[in-house]
Amino acid sequence: QQQVKQSPQSLIVQKGGISIINCAYENTAFDYFPWYQQFPGKGPALLIAIRPDVSEKKEGRFTISFNKSAKQFSLHIMDSQPGDSATYFCAASRRRTSGSRLTFGEGTQLTVNP
Amino acid sequence: DTEVTQTPKHLVMGMTNKKSLKCEQHMGHRAMYWYKQKAKKPPELMFVYSYEKLSINESVPSRFSPECPNSSLLNLHLHALQPEDSALYLCASSQVLVMDRGSPPQHFGDGTRLSIL
């Protein structure tokens, strides 16, 4: 029940294209769904996040779509750029009295070709 | 630049050495976390501190010893590590609770790349 399944494992997109990464979860106690972007040699950076009371959140070229009934959420990167090439992790979080507990997907290696 | 600062950025140590990793944040967060990340894998939670008290230990071997001396600092003391402990060690911080808004976001540092000889 704590799993978050992420796909695809790797993704190659042409510059200007749309990158789509999907995640699915099982535990309905999750109440926060962040996406992290990680470049080589760096820590994961919080990219965008959504709570289950909304179905979509957009920040610039990045959009999260959230389907509560299907227990799925996805990241869309519009007008993908070579600088977007990185590893993307979806995650789901349960609130605890001592902070939060993140469950990560396995990650997607995105390559955007010029 | 991240708001969670980790030092050193790289560390090479022998299996008999004792060393410490340091993490510092000034965002007023009262929850701090240690994660271990192997290549091409997601971060794995090791420890959680809340209000400077250890609240979660994910069955981490005793050769890793965390310490939270104050609300801004988090240390990870290392002793007698094994080659399989070579990894990127990440620190994160968050608010303890976001009232009526569920889980708080976690902010990560850039990690310490640890190599055990």
Side-chain angles (χ1 to χ4, degrees):
Chain A
Q1 278 232 319
Q2 293 298 320
Q3 271 192 318
V4 175
K5 295 181 179 179
Q6 183 172 347
S7 63
Q9 193 172 21
S10 63
L11 180 62
I12 299 175
V13 173
Q14 291 299 118
K15 178 182 175 181
I18 302 173
S19 304
I20 302 174
I21 305 171
N22 300 300
C23 286
Y25 65 97
E26 298 174 357
N27 191 340
T28 55
F30 290 137
D31 63 3
Y32 177 69
F33 300 88
W35 285 88
Y36 286 89
Q37 178 190 56
Q38 187 173 25
F39 293 104
K42 296 290 188 180
L46 181 61
L47 185 64
I48 187 172
I50 198 167
R51 299 196 184 273
D53 52 348
V54 297
S55 60
E56 185 175 283
K57 183 173 182 180
K58 183 176 181 179
E59 291 184 0
R61 297 184 293 109
F62 302 91
T63 300
I64 299 178
S65 297
F66 185 81
N67 186 329
K68 189 174 181 178
S69 61
K71 292 188 282 187
Q72 295 175 346
F73 59 110
S74 60
L75 176 69
H76 295 236
I77 306 175
M78 309 300 287
D79 188 26
S80 298
Q81 300 295 312
D84 296 330
S85 297
T87 301
Y88 292 80
F89 292 100
C90 66
S93 180
R94 290 183 60 185
R95 184 173 61 177
R96 299 176 62 93
T97 54
S98 57
S100 59
R101 184 74 175 261
L102 283 173
T103 300
F104 285 93
E106 285 297 305
T108 296
Q109 176 68 54
L110 172 65
T111 302
V112 181
N113 288 328
Chain B
D1 290 341
T2 64
E3 296 179 86
V4 177
T5 303
Q6 291 188 244
T7 56
K9 293 190 184 305
H10 303 275
L11 180 61
V12 180
M13 57 187 288
M15 289 189 286
T16 59
N17 292 157
K18 287 185 181 181
K19 296 286 185 183
S20 297
L21 309 184
K22 180 180 176 180
C23 173
E24 190 168 5
Q25 59 89 15
H26 295 288
M27 294 181 282
H29 292 166
R30 301 302 295 276
M32 297 186 76
Y33 311 77
W34 280 116
Y35 288 85
K36 174 183 178 180
Q37 186 178 28
K38 301 286 266 185
K40 300 188 184 300
K41 290 293 186 181
E44 298 175 23
L45 184 65
M46 300 174 71
F47 302 102
V48 180
Y49 272 82
S50 176
Y51 296 109
E52 295 86 68
K53 294 189 187 304
L54 183 65
S55 61
I56 296 175
N57 177 340
E58 288 289 291
S59 303
V60 178
S62 60
R63 57 186 184 268
F64 295 91
S65 176
E67 177 196 21
C68 190
N70 61 54
S71 60
S72 300
L73 285 175
L74 186 66
N75 298 320
L76 186 62
H77 303 297
L78 314 173
H79 174 55
L81 294 193
Q82 302 299 307
E84 61 266 27
D85 296 323
S86 297
L88 180 67
Y89 287 84
L90 295 162
C91 173
S93 71
S94 76
Q95 296 174 321
V96 174
L97 280 177
V98 178
M99 295 306 295
D100 299 327
R101 295 294 289 146
S103 300
Q106 290 187 24
H107 299 270
F108 286 81
D110 281 336
T112 294
R113 175 72 60 190
L114 177 64
S115 299
I116 307 300
L117 299 178

